[in-house]
Amino acid sequence: MKTLLTLILYTSLSMTMFAQDSEKLNILWIIAEDMSPDLACYGNKVVTTPNIDSLAAKGMRFSNVFTTAPACSPSRTALATGVYQTTLGAHHMRYSTELRPDLPKAVKVLPELMRENGYYTGNIKGICGTGTGKDDWQFNVPGKSWDTHSWKDLTKRQPFFAQINSSQSHRGFSSTKNIAKEKIKIPPYYPDHPVSRHDWAGYYNEINKFDRQVGDILKRLEAEDLAKNTIVCVFADHGRPMIRGKNWLYDSGTQIPLVIYFPEGMKKPKAYQAGKTNTELLSAIDLVAETVLIAGGKIPAWMQGRSFLRKDSKPRNYIHTAADRFGNVDTCSRAVRTDRFKYIRNFKTPGSINECTTAYRRASHPIYHLLNIMEDKNLLTPAQAQLLKPLADEELYDLVNDPYETLNLIGKKGFDTIHKELKERMAEWIEFSKDKGLEKDSDAIVEHFREYGNTTMKSRAKSIQKRRLSVEKYFK
């Protein structure tokens, strides 16, 4: 009788646990590399992105989302934890293995938090023509990160939380096919030149390819009867791979798209509105916090991300972003943004924007060479020439009247009050967040990045010269 009662109790508990798990939705992150909100559903009339557009139409589109850093490894470090990379002391791109810091004892990576809430986790490789398995976390992983890299293994263990990383919109660009170059709107800080249009056309074509990958993933969810119980989030790790985009704290480097879709008929958070656009300021780490809540967990006290889909979600008034060493470029900048103004403090000013370009980027960015050549020939407009002038210590922009952030308002009449407010806000945030990026780097870190610069400049010298010659031919 005792054995029978034990069996009945065990069966009852198992059925209850199964019922609880079956109510939990799978969560899938599809992450693009180096992609600003350059999608048709965000108003771009040159790209063709029907799959993401459709997902946005039946899901929810977010128009003011910003990563914590404008490059992959520091941004993904924050996405792994919901904590700013500067708080973790993992802010440079990128450390050697032996120089990576440990996580603070209390902090856990998102896959571990999801496991604690009953989820099987995966960073999927090789699915629908994509799936790189990229993490690029700049800290030592304490124990286990993901449960699997296999889609087949993942889908056997529901509920699951997974990410599929696509490198499609990362350089290099393979083709400009089907892109109407004459319709591309070139930002005013770039020369409107065939070199610029060709480069942008290549980027846009890669976005089209990414959209097709998203479409193939969505079809696979349908084919495997997973679409009805899988939340899909499509976003990017930071902004577009252009000079003054990636690696810089302008919106072109930190603003990203975000589309979230909850299956029809499934319970949704109170603030989720299908077919609507959310215009609130969001940090990418807020998606980390919201994902934990969707999984049935609680946001840990140490996490700096916050919810945004709940009835009691507290909107952000400020977005904080940070840029530190990128390879051999020794930079340190911080920005604070409201819905109208952005203040940037450049604690280090190693040179002009164009000069602060790594060997890899000099070998792969034709606009870097275009700017230098046209400067030599005195062909640049003031906005374009600014990219070759030394960085200012401080920058302030009115994002409503100057969305391309070309007119620095520091010292201009009528802007002293907002300058003071944002400067004070930044100082408070640096102290509150325990920003380790403002601490002195160790000799080992300085030497590592110096050696990286020397090595890559030598190894890419021929590629850099080849890229330069490909641009020079337009001026002969």
Side-chain angles (χ1 to χ4, degrees):
M1 179 63 71
K2 184 177 180 181
T3 303
L4 180 60
L5 288 172
T6 301
L7 180 60
I8 292 171
L9 179 61
Y10 175 80
T11 302
S12 176
L13 285 171
S14 297
M15 291 179 67
T16 301
M17 290 174 65
F18 176 79
Q20 290 173 342
D21 282 349
S22 66
E23 292 173 0
K24 289 186 175 182
L25 299 178
N26 303 317
I27 306 169
L28 177 62
W29 286 7
I30 306 176
I31 310 174
E33 291 193 43
D34 302 18
M35 192 177 78
S36 293
D38 296 318
L39 303 165
C41 58
Y42 282 85
N44 190 305
K45 300 185 183 304
V46 182
V47 298
T48 305
T49 53
N51 297 296
I52 301 174
D53 298 345
S54 175
L55 199 69
K58 62 183 181 181
M60 195 168 186
R61 182 175 69 93
F62 298 81
S63 61
N64 276 311
V65 186
F66 301 86
T67 54
T68 60
C72 52
S73 63
S75 173
R76 288 173 181 268
T77 292
L79 279 171
T81 58
V83 177
Y84 284 82
Q85 70 280 358
T86 48
T87 299
L88 298 174
H91 42 280
H92 293 319
M93 179 178 170
R94 46 179 64 85
Y95 300 87
S96 59
T97 303
E98 63 274 12
L99 291 175
R100 289 178 184 167
D102 294 328
L103 282 179
K105 288 184 178 180
V107 177
K108 298 179 181 180
V109 293
L110 180 58
E112 183 176 356
L113 291 175
M114 297 301 280
R115 272 195 297 274
E116 290 176 356
N117 286 289
Y119 278 72
Y120 193 64
T121 69
N123 189 352
I124 305 304
K125 295 181 179 180
I127 179 174
C128 299
T130 187
T132 63
K134 182 175 183 177
D135 280 329
D136 214 1
W137 303 340
Q138 294 301 290
F139 52 79
N140 295 316
V141 181
K144 189 178 183 180
S145 53
W146 302 97
D147 293 312
T148 186
H149 291 292
S150 164
W151 178 258
K152 185 177 181 180
D153 181 38
L154 177 83
T155 55
K156 289 179 180 177
R157 304 278 296 273
Q158 298 184 52
F160 63 73
F161 165 67
Q163 64 181 41
I164 300 175
N165 291 282
S166 170
S167 62
Q168 197 63 58
S169 49
H170 193 287
R171 289 181 183 267
F173 309 145
S174 59
S175 170
T176 60
K177 187 179 180 182
N178 299 324
I179 299 295
K181 295 180 185 178
E182 70 281 0
K183 294 183 179 180
I184 296 174
K185 187 176 182 180
I186 301 294
Y189 43 79
Y190 301 134
D192 190 350
H193 186 278
V195 167
S196 304
R197 290 190 172 275
H198 183 82
D199 197 41
W200 276 71
Y203 164 60
Y204 282 167
N205 192 53
E206 299 303 320
I207 290 175
N208 290 349
K209 292 178 183 178
F210 172 67
D211 181 77
R212 291 195 287 271
Q213 290 175 344
V214 172
D216 289 343
I217 294 168
L218 296 177
K219 288 176 184 175
R220 184 147 183 175
L221 290 173
E222 289 281 358
E224 298 183 14
D225 200 29
L226 294 168
K228 64 185 180 182
N229 66 332
T230 301
I231 299 165
V232 178
C233 306
V234 179
F235 61 104
D237 60 356
H238 55 79
R240 64 177 74 99
M242 300 284 178
I243 301 295
R244 203 184 185 270
K246 182 177 181 177
N247 289 13
W248 297 96
L249 297 180
Y250 307 106
D251 282 4
S252 51
T254 59
Q255 188 170 16
I256 59 169
L258 172 62
V259 172
I260 299 178
Y261 170 72
F262 276 76
E264 294 181 10
M266 293 295 175
K267 187 177 180 180
K268 304 169 181 64
K270 294 289 185 182
Y272 176 86
Q273 294 180 293
K276 301 294 184 180
T277 296
N278 181 301
T279 61
E280 293 178 5
L281 291 173
L282 299 179
S283 175
I285 58 173
D286 297 337
L287 180 60
V288 182
E290 193 64 55
T291 298
V292 171
L293 291 179
I294 292 170
K298 294 182 179 180
I299 301 174
W302 48 260
M303 188 176 286
Q304 293 164 324
R306 60 173 67 172
S307 71
F308 57 92
L309 288 179
R310 309 291 148 171
K311 187 176 181 180
D312 58 350
S313 293
K314 185 179 179 181
R316 288 184 181 271
N317 295 318
Y318 304 94
I319 291 291
H320 295 277
T321 53
D324 292 277
R325 288 182 186 266
F326 300 107
N328 58 296
V329 180
D330 182 12
T331 187
C332 178
S333 298
R334 299 292 180 266
V336 55
R337 188 196 197 282
T338 68
D339 57 358
R340 178 169 179 178
F341 291 98
K342 180 186 290 181
Y343 170 70
I344 302 174
R345 175 75 187 275
N346 297 309
F347 292 94
K348 294 180 181 179
T349 52
S352 71
I353 288 174
N354 211 43
E355 185 182 356
C356 293
T357 302
T358 61
Y360 157 72
R361 304 190 80 201
R362 295 182 186 198
S364 60
H365 287 247
I367 293 177
Y368 164 79
H369 299 283
L370 180 66
L371 287 164
N372 288 333
I373 292 169
M374 291 185 68
E375 169 72 2
D376 290 343
K377 296 179 181 296
N378 198 29
L379 296 174
L380 298 177
T381 66
Q384 296 156 11
Q386 189 61 43
L387 272 66
L388 290 99
K389 294 180 180 179
L391 284 173
D393 292 331
E394 297 180 283
E395 302 173 64
L396 177 67
Y397 299 102
D398 180 343
L399 302 168
V400 173
N401 294 308
D402 179 26
Y404 289 110
E405 299 167 87
T406 60
L407 180 60
N408 187 357
L409 299 174
I410 295 293
K412 301 290 184 182
K413 185 177 179 180
F415 295 96
D416 290 345
T417 300
I418 188 64
H419 176 203
K420 183 175 183 292
E421 175 195 334
L422 294 183
K423 190 171 184 175
E424 290 176 351
R425 176 62 189 176
M426 179 181 290
E428 291 170 1
W429 173 251
I430 288 171
E431 182 178 359
F432 173 77
S433 67
K434 296 180 173 59
D435 188 335
K436 294 180 174 59
L438 297 179
E439 298 174 1
K440 184 179 179 180
D441 286 328
S442 69
D443 291 343
I445 286 177
V446 172
E447 176 59 23
H448 165 70
F449 284 100
R450 186 194 67 80
E451 182 59 29
Y452 171 87
N454 291 339
T455 301
T456 54
M457 281 296 182
K458 289 178 182 178
S459 66
R460 295 186 183 272
K462 290 183 179 179
S463 298
I464 293 171
Q465 181 61 17
K466 183 178 179 181
R467 182 67 68 180
R468 165 90 183 196
L469 292 173
S470 72
V471 178
E472 282 183 343
K473 70 181 182 181
Y474 287 90
F475 296 90
K476 293 180 179 179

